[in-house]
Amino acid sequence: MNGNRSSETAAYPGSAADDTVSAFDVLALGSLAVDDVLYLEHFPRPDEKITVTRRLRRCGGLAGTALLAAARFGARCAYAGWFGDDELCRFIGERLRAEAIDLSYAAPWPGGGVVHSTVLVDPMRHTRTVLAYRTGEPGPADEAPPLQVIRDSKVLLIDHHGLPGTLRAARAAAEAGVPIVADFERNAGPLLAEILPLADHLVLGLRFARRWLEEPDLDPADAVRRLWTPRRKAVVITHGEHGCHYRGCDDDEVRHRPAYRVAVRDTTGCGDVFHGVYAALLARGATLEERIRLASAAAALRAAADVDHPDGIPDERAVTAFLAVFPAVP
């Protein structure tokens, strides 16, 4: 178990007391966050006092942002990690429920289970710095959600949080033939080495891939080749403004999709948006090319979103309109 947290007394729909289990398009288990975003005149130097030009609060985290993106592409989504009852969790709950994201399988825990981040955005240099503080241990419980909920889902979305529960869920999904989309950003412990081979849709940033493979200068195409295994359905290595390299199970070649050229305002959550759209389209049965094309466009729109947008995450209509103007790879 994670510390002294236990899921044994939690009441879940679909448990022994309720055999009715609903299928979800995307079931996510990873981190939720509240992001307090500060737009700065420039990134501060030591001992400098600067003006914050704008501040806002958003629902974030690897799982939270991805779920919002997936829901806006029409996916029926659910979150099934630890979820508390404090002010931060209430804020996240309001945002997720507003998008019809199901929280009935979230594991109740008074300790919280979300990350509270302060995000410093430098609009001049198009950079952002994330200062993350854990109010609890994010991710899934060790023994929840019910295995049938995992088996009945169309796609399982995981990250590097709550590794014992994530390993349990990944094994159940793999045995049931449920696609697993993985979003890892750091090596959170030895169990990750058992989880990573189970992810048949490995969608990683180049920085993590280089650290995992212990090659700091590794080319993204070579990272795809190194991470490929016979059980993979897709390996995608994203690299910000340089686009992504990828390979699918029906192709022996590594392909490259350049990033869409947009006026970047804030890159916070771009990778998470990519994962969410990818997972939603995978559940829909879209081809790998279509998944990557639309996920890349959605990430570009997130980067270019106006600060007045509530969270900067586009819906499918906005992505379709964008691609009507940029129908081909730029």
Side-chain angles (χ1 to χ4, degrees):
M1 300 298 294
N2 293 327
N4 58 8
R5 300 176 304 163
S6 175
S7 63
E8 293 177 359
T9 59
Y12 298 98
S15 65
D18 180 358
D19 293 330
T20 302
V21 177
S22 299
F24 299 107
D25 294 323
V26 179
L27 175 68
L29 305 179
S31 69
L32 301 176
V34 172
D35 293 339
D36 287 327
V37 186
L38 309 182
Y39 291 87
L40 311 176
E41 293 178 321
H42 59 266
F43 193 81
R45 295 181 289 273
D47 295 324
E48 182 184 19
K49 181 184 291 187
I50 65 170
T51 299
V52 175
T53 60
R54 185 179 179 87
R55 65 182 303 152
L56 50 86
R57 174 167 284 191
R58 288 173 172 164
C59 174
L62 279 69
T65 304
L67 284 171
L68 290 172
R72 291 178 191 175
F73 265 68
R76 185 173 181 225
C77 300
Y79 178 72
W82 287 112
F83 199 76
D85 57 2
D86 60 7
E87 182 235 343
L88 296 176
C89 287
R90 287 194 294 272
F91 173 84
I92 292 175
E94 290 173 1
R95 297 302 186 273
L96 297 184
R97 291 187 183 96
E99 304 284 343
I101 295 169
D102 191 291
L103 296 177
S104 61
Y105 292 99
W109 184 43
V114 302
V115 177
H116 190 189
S117 298
T118 300
V119 183
L120 308 179
V121 179
D122 183 345
M124 300 300 294
R125 297 184 181 180
H126 310 306
T127 62
R128 60 45 171 159
T129 299
V130 180
L131 311 177
Y133 173 74
R134 292 186 180 185
T135 64
E137 185 64 31
D142 292 0
E143 300 170 7
L147 292 176
Q148 197 59 42
V149 176
I150 299 167
R151 296 176 183 131
D152 285 347
S153 297
K154 293 183 179 179
V155 174
L156 178 68
L157 180 62
I158 62 174
D159 62 31
H160 56 270
H161 295 89
L163 294 186
T166 299
L167 178 58
R168 167 186 175 272
R171 285 172 172 166
E175 291 170 359
V178 175
I180 302 170
V181 177
D183 179 8
F184 303 136
E185 290 189 348
R186 65 181 178 87
N187 186 350
L191 287 182
L192 192 64
E194 297 183 50
I195 297 169
L196 193 141
L198 297 172
D200 46 358
H201 292 262
L202 202 56
V203 185
L204 305 174
L206 179 61
R207 181 179 300 178
F208 172 85
R210 285 172 169 172
R211 288 199 302 262
W212 182 261
L213 296 170
E214 299 182 339
E215 294 191 31
D217 299 318
L218 187 65
D219 178 88
D222 287 335
V224 173
R225 298 184 185 98
R226 289 280 304 278
L227 291 165
W228 185 262
T229 66
R231 80 169 309 276
R232 303 270 195 230
K233 296 295 189 298
V235 173
V236 183
I237 299 296
T238 61
H239 191 21
E241 64 181 341
H242 302 291
C244 64
H245 286 75
Y246 62 97
R247 176 189 169 181
C249 58
D250 297 326
D251 196 343
D252 292 333
E253 297 181 13
V254 176
R255 301 185 182 276
H256 175 237
R257 173 168 285 276
Y260 289 95
R261 300 301 177 189
V262 295
V264 175
R265 291 188 174 92
D266 177 7
T267 59
T268 307
C270 289
D272 305 329
V273 168
F274 188 105
H275 281 85
V277 173
Y278 183 100
L281 293 172
L282 176 62
R284 191 186 296 179
T287 65
L288 177 59
E289 289 286 345
E290 190 72 356
R291 278 174 256 150
I292 290 177
R293 185 173 74 95
L294 271 70
S296 297
L301 282 175
R302 171 64 195 90
D306 190 275
V307 294
D308 290 327
H309 191 290
D311 53 32
I313 302 172
D315 59 17
E316 186 168 10
R317 180 179 298 180
V319 172
T320 301
F322 174 80
L323 290 174
V325 179
F326 297 98
V329 175

